[in-house]
Amino acid sequence: MLSQVESHLRSDRFPHIWCPGCGNGIVLSALVRAIEELGYDPDKTVVVSGIGCSSRAAGYLDFNTLHTTHGRALAFATGIKLARPELDVFVLMGDGDATAIGGNHFIHAARRNIDLTAIIFNNSIYGMTGGQYSPLTPPGKRATTAPYGNIERSFDIAELAKGAGATYVARATTYHATMLEKLIVAGARNKGFSVIEAITACPVGYGRRNKMGNGLQMLLWQKEQAVTVKQAEKMSPEELQDKIIIGELYRGEAPEYTAMYEEIIARTKGKNQ
Amino acid sequence: MAEALAIPRAIKIQVRQGWCKGCGICVALCPKEVLSLDGSGKVAVVNPDRCVGCGRCEIHCPDFAIGIEVKEQ
Ligand SMILES: Cc1ncc(C[n+]2csc(CCOP(=O)(O)OP(=O)(O)O)c2C)c(N)n1
Ligand code: SF4
Ligand code: SF4
Ligand code: SF4
Ligand SMILES: [Mg+2]
């Protein structure tokens, strides 16, 4: 399998810059296997990312890649998809990238139901800038900007995406790497805005400060905390506290943005003739 | 099912030490103790014959340093 995966990597840029045990590489690996499984033409596959440790992922991929600015990956991706709707576009973002500075782009991409596949690397922290809390840092957890524990409630990315209008919403952890791969495949096949939240470890900026151990220990913690959608149905809200629900969380139906746009173009062209 | 298991398979374990950062994830997740970290803290294949080709090491390696190829013979 490595040779197939490697055919989509820019091998000359490896070893990558991520810290030992960082989960970003596991998400990247699942994405590559998913694209391989989808059988997409590499020349028609686009990967757009923002800024953050996780967003460095785009630079390691041998597709059409765009490493943009913090919080704006979805804005760039929207432009690409509108100009070239036939391309398959993946958008890689960190939790801070997608829900703090990029929060508005996120909800409006969902509201438009534009056919993009967004993968959010949720490591509960601003990894790249040294461990400031993000909108996904759980209450009570420590960050450089929350030395006594975070007093803010965190977003639920899945609920946020669903509420804003996304038509495919799923979550997996890096421990559940095969599930993550399958969810990316299903999300990419959805004709609309798809959000896949990948719970991933930042041992250096988050784990160490919160006494969660190294990358391996954080991976095993994900295994302990995760419950499948099926298991969660039988659990009370109290039992579900601090649990990570994994699997396909939501599928909806809505008109897709670029298709609507094409329709308008066709209609107005007809009028002008 | 016994028949399926009886199909001889050749498993190739490919490691790239230059990309390995010694996180130990593969070592801990391998169900058959095939892998270990060597003196320099990099992945090493110590029990290749025990490998069942499950691929857990490969999909969890954050550094693309292990590849498993299973060929039915
Ligand atoms: C406009 C702008 N504001 C702030 C920054 C500084 N900055 C870079 S990455 C980052 C946050 C990274 O956190 P996240 O998006 O969760 O990605 P991670 O590094 O955790 O993968 C910030 C605040 C920036 N590069 N640009
Ligand atoms: S700081 Fe955290 S997210 Fe960034 S590379 Fe290191 S472990 Fe990964
Ligand atoms: S494929 Fe499975 S058994 Fe073989 S080394 Fe990897 S984890 Fe161990
Ligand atoms: S999981 Fe990968 S990086 Fe970590 S020790 Fe094993 S081969 Fe090395
Ligand atoms: Mg982050």
Side-chain angles (χ1 to χ4, degrees):
Chain A
M1 188 69 191
L2 190 61
S3 54
Q4 277 137 284
V5 170
E6 213 184 316
S7 69
H8 298 301
L9 299 179
R10 292 179 180 144
S11 300
D12 55 323
R13 302 207 181 162
F14 282 73
H16 58 53
I17 50 126
W18 294 316
C19 307
C22 171
N24 289 343
I26 309 179
V27 183
L28 179 62
S29 167
L31 170 65
V32 173
R33 290 195 308 278
I35 295 176
E36 179 75 28
E37 197 174 322
L38 285 158
Y40 285 170
D41 175 353
D43 290 331
K44 296 203 168 105
T45 303
V46 182
V47 180
V48 185
S49 68
I51 294 290
C53 291
S54 44
S55 281
R56 297 292 290 259
Y60 297 118
L61 291 169
D62 197 12
F63 301 111
N64 299 286
T65 63
L66 209 65
H67 189 185
T68 70
T69 61
H70 193 38
R72 313 291 179 229
L74 280 168
F76 285 89
T78 297
I80 293 166
K81 188 70 189 179
L82 267 179
R84 298 281 304 275
E86 75 279 13
L87 301 179
D88 292 300
V89 184
F90 293 85
V91 189
L92 313 184
M93 295 170 284
D95 49 313
D97 206 34
T99 70
I101 189 169
N104 254 306
H105 294 295
F106 183 66
I107 56 175
H108 294 290
R111 183 176 60 83
R112 290 175 176 142
N113 192 35
I114 183 165
D115 187 20
L116 302 171
T117 305
I119 299 166
I120 302 181
F121 293 56
N122 180 6
N123 58 9
S124 308
I125 205 82
Y126 285 1
M128 176 165 268
T129 42
Q132 297 79 9
Y133 69 83
S134 87
L136 268 302
T137 305
K141 294 291 182 187
R142 284 172 207 278
T144 52
T145 45
Y148 306 109
N150 180 25
I151 57 168
E152 297 182 17
R153 292 179 299 164
S154 46
F155 270 141
D156 179 328
I157 290 180
E159 287 299 322
L160 182 65
K162 182 181 158 190
T167 47
Y168 180 90
V169 181
R171 183 189 292 121
T173 79
T174 51
Y175 180 82
H176 304 85
T178 301
M179 179 191 279
L180 179 59
E181 171 194 330
K182 304 291 172 204
L183 295 174
I184 295 172
V185 169
R189 287 190 177 135
N190 172 50
K191 189 109 187 84
F193 191 62
S194 304
V195 177
I196 297 101
E197 178 184 1
I199 305 292
T200 174
C202 168
V204 171
Y206 182 72
R208 202 160 53 182
R209 193 164 286 112
N210 286 291
K211 302 193 168 46
M212 295 174 80
N214 61 19
L216 167 62
Q217 285 159 323
M218 292 180 80
L219 198 68
L220 297 175
W221 173 88
Q222 292 169 7
K223 178 190 178 189
E224 292 304 311
Q225 293 310 110
V227 294
T228 62
V229 172
K230 252 210 162 94
Q231 290 169 323
E233 278 167 7
K234 297 187 202 101
M235 293 167 71
S236 68
E238 293 75 43
E239 287 172 318
L240 281 173
Q241 261 223 317
D242 302 325
K243 290 289 180 196
I244 304 165
I245 304 177
I246 56 168
E248 194 173 296
L249 303 172
Y250 178 73
R251 257 182 203 272
E253 289 281 334
E256 193 276 325
Y257 189 65
T258 54
M260 301 274 284
Y261 208 89
E262 294 280 308
E263 232 178 85
I264 286 279
I265 293 170
R267 233 195 300 153
T268 47
K269 262 190 185 157
K271 258 191 199 153
N272 295 338
Q273 266 159 17
Chain B
M1 279 292 101
E3 257 169 55
L5 285 174
I7 295 172
R9 300 186 309 165
I11 304 171
K12 212 171 96 193
I13 311 174
Q14 212 185 325
V15 300
R16 191 169 357 215
Q17 285 208 338
W19 289 12
C20 169
K21 296 195 186 125
C23 69
I25 288 175
C26 58
V27 177
L29 295 193
C30 173
K32 298 290 175 187
E33 296 178 347
V34 175
L35 307 165
S36 178
L37 296 183
D38 68 12
S40 59
K42 303 264 182 181
V43 66
V45 184
V46 288
N47 290 309
D49 298 342
R50 287 202 210 153
C51 175
V52 291
C54 67
R56 291 184 77 184
C57 52
E58 177 177 346
I59 65 167
H60 289 99
C61 171
D63 289 87
F64 299 85
I66 306 185
I68 301 292
E69 212 176 320
V70 182
K71 271 204 190 114
E72 284 182 7
Q73 288 176 324

